[in-house]
Amino acid sequence: MTTAYDPHAFEPFAVTVDLAVFTVRGGALHVLLIRRGQEPYAGAWALPGGFLLPRESAETAARRELAEETGLSEAVVAALHLEQLRTYSEPDRDPRMRVVSVAFTALVPDMPEPSADGGGDADRARWVPVGEAGEAADLAFDHALILADARSRVGAKLEYTCLATGFCPPEFTLGELQSVYETVWGTALDRPNFRRKVLATPGFVEAVPGAARLTGGRGKPAALYRAGPATALHPPLLRPTEGHTR
């Protein structure tokens, strides 16, 4: 069946992986970036990533590159839930040769600081507020596009999964949960409507009996909740349309 196939009839190209890894730090959405230490784009900021080795899968390569370029421990990297975002294959996206990239994204809580010095072709790694990273026109390759696509994906995941509770303390107020949504979505939400929707969604949160927390205002302490058993939201908690709050 394969005797007529000539692999030399096709121009070779490389496959890489790129990772858009987000976390919430200090009330702002951050993305993990590395500063390139080699050409092309030496000195420019980029998403972590690199070339697939001949005998590894895209996900294996993604975890290896993330560990190498950021100094995050193998245990931290192995525990990440990576979601494949899409494939980027424009012919001129890399000046070195034809390169097709498989991009992954993750939204993770409590990530440690990366090491000051990355590995491979990275000379530094750090968490950057998404607003600053998105405004950086000099992000290497087509990483500004990948970053925008990834942010849209993680925003959507908050609509139909219970991921947001993972960014709250074990016991949290609905105001703290709302703050996670507002941080990731970048928009203000109407407090009564948010509260009503959360409490009406089966298994999303559970009340902690008799527990409350002062939130800095002059009103009564706010009730505390913990994550419920659900993993998906039915119905979804839809983000506001542009120009509106909910």
Side-chain angles (χ1 to χ4, degrees), residues 13-18 52 58 83-91 93 98-105 142-143 145-146 149-150 153:
F13 62 90
V15 179
T16 62
V17 291
D18 291 302
L52 264 72
E83 180 174 322
Q84 192 170 131
L85 178 62
R86 55 169 288 197
T87 300
Y88 295 82
S89 58
E90 289 300 313
R93 60 179 303 274
R98 179 72 190 275
V99 175
V100 173
S101 182
V102 182
F104 292 82
T105 189
D142 53 358
H143 290 186
L145 172 61
I146 298 175
D149 289 346
R153 171 69 64 85

Side-chain angles (χ1 to χ4, degrees), residues 2-3 10-11 15 25 32 35 49-50 58-59 63 66 69 105 117 130 135 156 159 165 170 189 214 230 245-246:
T2 60
T3 54
F10 301 92
E11 182 178 347
V15 179
R25 300 167 65 87
L32 187 60
R35 189 172 62 190
E59 183 169 332
R63 295 184 189 278
L66 186 60
E69 293 193 336
T105 189
D117 297 316
V130 167
E135 295 170 0
E159 293 184 331
T165 59
L189 302 176
L214 288 172
T245 58
R246 293 184 180 179

Side-chain angles (χ1 to χ4, degrees), residues 113-130:
E113 288 288 348
S115 64
D117 297 316
D121 58 2
D123 68 7
R124 186 182 176 191
R126 69 184 179 102
W127 292 103
V128 179
V130 167

Side-chain angles (χ1 to χ4, degrees), residues 107-173:
L107 183 58
V108 293
D110 301 324
M111 286 291 287
E113 288 288 348
S115 64
D117 297 316
D121 58 2
D123 68 7
R124 186 182 176 191
R126 69 184 179 102
W127 292 103
V128 179
V130 167
E132 296 179 16
E135 295 170 0
D138 57 350
L139 277 182
F141 306 104
D142 53 358
H143 290 186
L145 172 61
I146 298 175
L147 175 59
D149 289 346
R151 184 176 184 183
S152 178
R153 171 69 64 85
V154 298
K157 285 188 72 69
L158 261 63
E159 293 184 331
Y160 58 85
T161 75
C162 300
L163 184 65
T165 59
F167 295 88
C168 295
E171 296 181 353
F172 51 86
T173 68

Side-chain angles (χ1 to χ4, degrees), residues 50 105 170 183 198 216 225 240:
T105 189
T183 297
V198 169
Y225 296 83

